[in-house]
Amino acid sequence: MKILVVDDEQVVLNSCKRVLEAEGFEVCLVPSAEKALEALEREGFGLLLIDVKMPEHDGLYFIQEVKKRWPAIPMIVMSGYDTAETIEEAARVGAAVFIAKPFTPDELVGTVCQVVSKEESHETDESPGHR
Amino acid sequence: MFYSTRSKLIASFLGVSILVGAVSLFIGGQLLYKAVLSEAMHRVSFDLNAAREIYLARIKAIRTPLSITALGFGFLSALKGQDAPELVNRLRRLAEKVELDFAGIVTKEGKTLCRIGPNSIPREMAQIANPLANLVLERRVAISGTVILSKEFLSAEDPELAERARIQLLPTPRAAPRAEKEETSGMALAAAIPVLEEGEIFGVIYGGVLLNRSTTIVDTARDTVFQHEVYKGRSIGTATIFFEDLRISTNVMTPEGKRAIGTRVSKEVKEHVLTKGKKWTDRAFVVSDWYITAYEPIEDIFGERMGMLYVGVLEAKYADMRRKALTVLVLIIVAGMALAIGLGYLLADKIMRPVRRLIEVSQQVVGGSLTPDIGPISKGEIGVLQNTFKEMVAAMGRRSEAAQNRLLQSEKQASIGRLAAGVAHEINNPLTGVLTYTHMLLRRKDIADDIRSDLQTIAQSTERVRRIVKGLLDFSRQTRLDREPTDVNRLVRSTISVMENQALVKGLSMKFNPGENLPMLTLDRGQFQSVLLNIIINALDATEPGGDITVSTGISLSASDPGKKGVEIAIADTGCGIPPEHLDKLFDPFFSTKEVGQGTGLGLAVSYGIVQRHGGTIRVQSEVDRGSTFTIWLPVEEQAEEHEDTGG
């Protein structure tokens, strides 16, 4: 499965890549929402890992775009700013799962596996990035 | 201006003086005057008695000398001998002494033997009837009294008398109409004595005075009774003898200053006295003026009401008295009104000075000054008002100070919250890296034990950093209150039961004194429990083994807003206490006296925020080495979430 990670912080991108690759996922890193949309147009992904707070277009905008154009792709929202409002807003625009920064590798893997297994139990064949 | 206190006060005073004045004017003008009048009438009624006595005395003064003369030596023999000249002599001497207008002797046959007049010894036998003598001859007793004498009789006695008796009737207002133009009969006081010897009548001696135009009796009566009392050049008292309703003898004057002989009495008096025979005592219109009068009928020797006796005093005197009294009263009232205005002005000034001062001071307070100068405190209600005002301003000062403190604390929390949120975001990203790589390293099997130990220390420290940042975020985030009706005692009891084990381990005793009849409050139970936990944990930490922690609840009024009802939860410990210099920093974020790693310094700050968002307050009383008491106050009403967004 190919995972797209969107964050403006290089250290977070690197951390995610390190942990997820160790678990056997294919990981693509992009530093902004624009880059992420380009990547999504280019290729298919099985999961998106998105930071809510980013310069320029922020994560919430990005989530809405994805929901519109690739409604089947599941999303995990991460934030170092886990206020109730942020979580609510993310849930409202369609990201079901939320993970608070900072997280340990185990927490990240656990969350990702939870979402992936849920997806698989539903309708696995239609997922475009699925392998 | 009209509605000012001064005008009202003056108006009240004026009202009172006008009312009192009107009442005294009424009493003075009406009631007192009536009393005076009735007193005057009473007096006039007595005066009439005196006048009657004078009238009767005059009759007696005629009768007695006549009787004596009749019994005089030689009188009987002269009569028997028909010695007219001798008898005339005797009669003339008598008449001169007793001032008789007429006198004479009638024979037992009723013929006039002689008289004192010019035709003293009448020769012709055709004679005028003598009502006096005839009555004596008929009754055979002496008679005396009032008698009406005809013009013929008078002419026979003396033509001058007839002339004196003739009185022109003058037109008089209010008199009953009378057909004749003049009165020719005369009214006289007379007596007639039978001259007797051994029961046999030899003749009658008679005599009298004509009342018409006579002044003797009326003036004597006036002078005796009223003693020359004069009012404005006129005699106060007057007396009159009426022949029927005609004034024949009087000292009532006409406006021209002549005796009002020929004028007549008013119709109503005539009817009352002459017709009905009653006494009259009242005001009456006499000739041209109002008098206070008394009339009584005069009966003649036949018992017929032939005339009236009158006395009266000028009413003008009493009216003038009244006018004078009223003038004095009006002057007093005017003076009273002037006094009322003056007094009202002064009093209003005295009353209003502190009030005006209060108004000025109120304006100062409105302008923002909370330390105004009220001036000297008056006595009485104004003083109470001044003191209350003073207290009110002081309370406002205290309250605004409390509000300011609260605002300051809110602002402090808000800015720190924003800072914390920003810092948290920035720190969390690198922290993700540290956590990730440390844990990835720890997963490797090929590392030495000492390196593994170091890595674990890094991981633990990072975890701590994570907790601190989490606490910061908890503090900064203003989560929505999830309120539900809560029994405060139950919530406190369940919180205590969570901590009881820890207290036991430390060797402390925990007590709970639940207040009775507490109202239900709508609280966010989870958040509020964390507040209680926080304070109880602090208390546990601050108290040495053997100490006490006492939690009590109860109903209480707000300390900063008197009159607002609420529920109080007090957590008291017997611990080390809080130094005074720490007290005002207690609720600041990151303020902690605990050792590094023991507390984040956010617990009380977060608690403060939660209580504040419930509309409540936390206050602390503490004494070093004696213990501290944290008191949470929550309002009963005002459960609206108006404090929700403050400090975000």
Side-chain angles (χ1 to χ4, degrees):
Chain A
M1 179 187 274
K2 209 168 178 182
I3 299 176
L4 180 63
V5 184
V6 192
D7 199 317
D8 57 332
E9 274 283 337
Q10 194 57 44
V11 68
V12 177
L13 289 176
N14 290 343
S15 298
C16 290
K17 186 183 167 84
R18 184 85 171 74
V19 172
L20 293 173
E21 278 184 348
E23 294 297 316
F25 292 102
E26 197 180 327
V27 179
C28 179
L29 304 176
V30 281
S32 71
E34 285 77 19
K35 288 272 159 54
L37 289 172
E38 282 169 24
L40 276 167
E41 276 160 15
R42 216 169 41 238
E43 49 189 316
F45 292 95
L47 180 68
L48 299 182
L49 200 55
I50 309 150
D51 182 27
V52 232
K53 268 222 167 292
M54 287 184 291
E56 296 171 48
H57 292 295
D58 84 348
L60 293 174
Y61 158 78
F62 176 65
I63 293 164
Q64 273 173 307
E65 280 298 297
V66 173
K67 262 281 151 207
K68 246 190 288 180
R69 293 159 68 178
W70 300 278
I73 305 177
M75 288 177 277
I76 296 172
V77 172
M78 35 178 200
S79 175
Y81 196 72
D82 60 341
T83 65
E85 286 76 22
T86 314
I87 297 167
E88 257 174 43
E89 183 81 343
R92 193 175 59 77
V93 296
V97 184
F98 185 90
I99 184 166
K101 286 195 272 190
F103 39 75
T104 60
D106 293 346
E107 284 166 359
L108 177 62
V109 170
T111 310
V112 167
C113 287
Q114 187 195 328
V115 172
V116 168
S117 65
K118 209 187 206 171
E119 283 299 307
E120 277 170 349
S121 69
H122 280 209
E123 16 78 65
T124 50
D125 300 324
E126 287 168 44
S127 186
H130 182 69
R131 285 190 169 187
Chain B
M1 186 61 202
F2 185 74
Y3 292 102
S4 73
T5 307
R6 174 171 296 164
S7 321
K8 284 177 188 164
L9 212 59
I10 290 174
S12 324
F13 280 139
L14 268 184
V16 168
S17 57
I18 287 172
L19 189 75
V20 169
V23 168
S24 21
L25 268 182
F26 178 75
I27 291 173
Q30 295 296 317
L31 303 182
L32 281 182
Y33 186 56
K34 274 187 183 153
V36 167
L37 270 191
S38 104
E39 185 54 42
M41 283 174 196
H42 204 61
R43 189 190 145 188
V44 166
S45 168
F46 277 118
D47 294 345
L48 183 65
N49 290 345
R52 186 175 60 231
E53 284 309 313
I54 291 165
Y55 186 86
L56 294 177
R58 185 70 185 108
I59 295 172
K60 215 173 166 185
I62 296 167
R63 176 182 173 147
T64 311
L66 281 177
S67 303
I68 293 165
T69 308
L71 295 170
F73 175 76
F75 185 81
L76 186 61
S77 55
L79 182 61
K80 279 177 182 166
Q82 305 267 313
D83 184 358
E86 169 58 21
L87 290 171
V88 168
N89 261 342
R90 287 190 181 222
L91 283 176
R92 282 196 171 142
R93 281 207 300 275
L94 172 71
E96 203 174 317
K97 277 184 186 150
V98 191
E99 292 173 346
L100 294 178
D101 288 331
F102 59 90
I105 293 166
V106 174
T107 61
K108 58 186 173 186
E109 292 80 26
K111 306 275 189 286
T112 303
L113 182 63
C114 61
R115 57 167 70 99
I116 56 170
N119 186 16
S120 59
I121 307 166
R123 260 155 286 172
E124 74 276 22
M125 284 296 121
Q127 285 203 2
I128 311 301
N130 186 326
L132 287 160
N134 291 351
L135 195 64
V136 172
L137 290 174
E138 187 190 320
R139 294 193 187 160
R140 305 175 62 84
V141 289
I143 55 141
S144 62
T146 310
V147 65
I148 305 303
L149 301 172
S150 65
K151 178 187 172 187
E152 292 72 27
F153 178 87
L154 288 170
S155 297
E157 288 296 318
D158 186 345
E160 257 180 45
L161 276 183
E163 187 53 34
R164 216 181 96 195
R166 200 169 58 85
I167 290 170
Q168 292 273 317
L169 264 61
L170 300 174
T172 314
R174 305 172 81 102
R178 243 173 101 162
E180 57 267 48
K181 289 269 177 356
E182 61 173 20
E183 180 60 63
T184 51
S185 301
M187 192 158 101
L189 299 182
I193 315 290
V195 186
L196 299 161
E197 194 188 49
E198 290 164 2
E200 193 191 344
I201 294 183
F202 288 92
V204 175
I205 177 169
Y206 69 92
V209 291
L210 182 65
L211 289 174
N212 294 29
R213 297 187 195 279
S214 146
T215 59
T216 328
I217 293 178
V218 289
D219 286 357
T220 308
R222 182 191 65 194
D223 297 345
T224 311
V225 173
F226 301 106
Q227 297 171 342
H228 304 284
E229 207 176 328
V230 168
Y231 174 77
K232 289 189 178 165
R234 298 160 72 180
S235 236
I236 283 263
T238 53
T240 300
I241 297 165
F242 288 87
F243 174 24
E244 293 188 342
D245 65 345
L246 181 71
R247 277 187 188 84
I248 53 166
S249 168
T250 185
N251 43 37
V252 174
M253 299 295 174
T254 60
E256 294 81 42
K258 291 196 287 192
R259 288 182 190 255
I261 290 166
T263 59
R264 292 183 297 134
V265 80
S266 66
K267 189 181 169 191
E268 43 182 338
V269 175
K270 180 187 175 186
E271 267 172 23
H272 191 86
V273 181
L274 270 182
T275 314
K276 295 180 184 162
K278 289 179 186 163
K279 204 169 163 179
W280 168 287
T281 317
D282 204 343
R283 292 170 75 229
F285 190 79
V286 176
V287 184
S288 58
D289 264 316
W290 283 96
Y291 281 77
I292 297 160
T293 63
Y295 293 83
E296 65 176 22
I298 297 173
E299 290 178 358
D300 71 358
I301 50 174
F302 302 103
E304 301 283 326
R305 283 194 290 278
M306 292 314 298
M308 297 184 288
L309 187 61
Y310 147 96
V311 292
V313 287
L314 262 179
E315 194 189 16
K317 178 190 164 189
Y318 295 96
D320 211 45
M321 270 164 65
R322 171 160 85 158
R323 203 164 44 244
K324 273 180 190 160
L326 289 188
T327 310
V328 170
L329 268 178
V330 166
L331 280 177
I332 289 171
I333 290 162
V334 168
M337 279 161 69
L339 194 71
I341 291 172
L343 208 65
Y345 195 87
L346 286 177
L347 258 179
D349 201 54
K350 196 169 159 54
I351 293 170
M352 287 313 289
R353 197 178 301 134
V355 173
R356 269 201 293 275
R357 177 91 198 182
L358 273 181
I359 293 170
E360 271 169 33
V361 163
S362 304
Q363 279 159 352
Q364 284 176 26
V365 172
V366 169
S369 161
L370 286 176
T371 51
D373 179 17
I374 287 176
I377 303 291
S378 317
K379 285 174 190 157
E381 288 92 339
I382 296 285
V384 174
L385 177 63
Q386 284 173 320
N387 278 325
T388 312
F389 186 86
K390 226 173 170 176
E391 281 164 25
M392 185 186 82
V393 171
M396 273 168 70
R398 281 197 297 276
R399 201 169 308 162
S400 86
E401 207 175 313
Q404 222 158 21
N405 285 346
R406 236 165 82 171
L407 189 69
L408 213 67
Q409 189 73 24
S410 287
E411 276 171 0
K412 208 149 72 175
Q413 292 216 349
S415 57
I416 287 169
R418 278 192 296 276
L419 179 70
V423 168
H425 187 240
E426 290 307 312
I427 286 176
N428 278 337
N429 282 330
L431 218 52
T432 308
V434 176
L435 268 178
T436 302
Y437 286 100
T438 314
H439 279 277
M440 292 314 281
L441 278 173
L442 275 168
R443 280 186 187 180
R444 288 172 62 162
K445 309 279 189 255
D446 59 343
I447 49 174
D449 282 353
D450 55 338
I451 296 173
R452 180 171 300 276
S453 165
D454 290 352
L455 282 173
Q456 268 162 355
T457 307
I458 293 172
Q460 279 162 12
S461 299
T462 315
E463 281 296 330
R464 226 187 90 202
V465 174
R466 182 157 93 151
R467 275 203 306 279
I468 292 169
V469 174
K470 179 94 169 64
L472 252 178
L473 278 170
D474 281 346
F475 163 73
S476 71
R477 121 174 52 147
Q478 302 295 325
T479 43
R480 196 173 296 275
L481 293 175
D482 190 9
R483 290 173 173 221
E484 51 196 324
T486 306
D487 179 343
V488 175
N489 281 338
R490 224 162 107 186
L491 186 71
V492 172
R493 193 172 280 122
S494 78
T495 311
I496 289 173
S497 71
V498 171
M499 299 308 297
E500 250 167 355
N501 210 33
Q502 282 199 42
L504 210 66
V505 168
K506 211 185 164 184
L508 298 172
S509 82
M510 270 186 89
K511 281 183 281 187
F512 178 40
N513 302 326
E516 283 174 19
N517 301 324
L518 296 189
M520 296 287 275
L521 298 179
T522 51
L523 302 176
D524 184 317
R525 286 186 202 164
Q527 292 199 32
F528 198 74
Q529 191 164 34
S530 77
V531 172
L532 290 175
L533 277 174
N534 210 306
I535 295 172
I536 292 172
I537 289 169
N538 283 344
L540 282 172
D541 289 345
T543 312
E544 294 299 311
D548 295 318
I549 293 170
T550 311
V551 183
S552 354
T553 56
I555 294 174
S556 156
L557 296 177
S558 165
S560 59
D561 188 1
K564 215 163 157 189
K565 211 175 113 183
V567 170
E568 224 171 48
I569 304 158
I571 297 118
D573 64 51
T574 56
C576 57
I578 303 159
E581 66 268 24
H582 288 168
L583 272 176
D584 55 343
K585 285 187 268 178
L586 217 52
F587 297 104
D588 289 357
F590 304 114
F591 174 79
S592 179
T593 55
K594 293 180 182 175
E595 279 171 42
V596 176
Q598 287 291 305
T600 59
L602 287 168
L604 281 178
V606 171
S607 297
Y608 187 95
I610 292 169
V611 172
Q612 199 185 40
R613 273 179 289 134
H614 278 92
T617 56
I618 303 183
R619 56 177 205 276
V620 189
Q621 286 168 295
S622 186
E623 220 177 303
V624 174
D625 293 335
R626 298 290 289 273
S628 312
T629 303
F630 281 72
T631 309
I632 303 167
W633 181 85
L634 291 168
V636 171
E637 293 121 354
E638 203 202 296
Q639 291 290 317
E641 302 184 351
E642 58 179 71
H643 295 273
E644 181 117 332
D645 298 326
T646 54

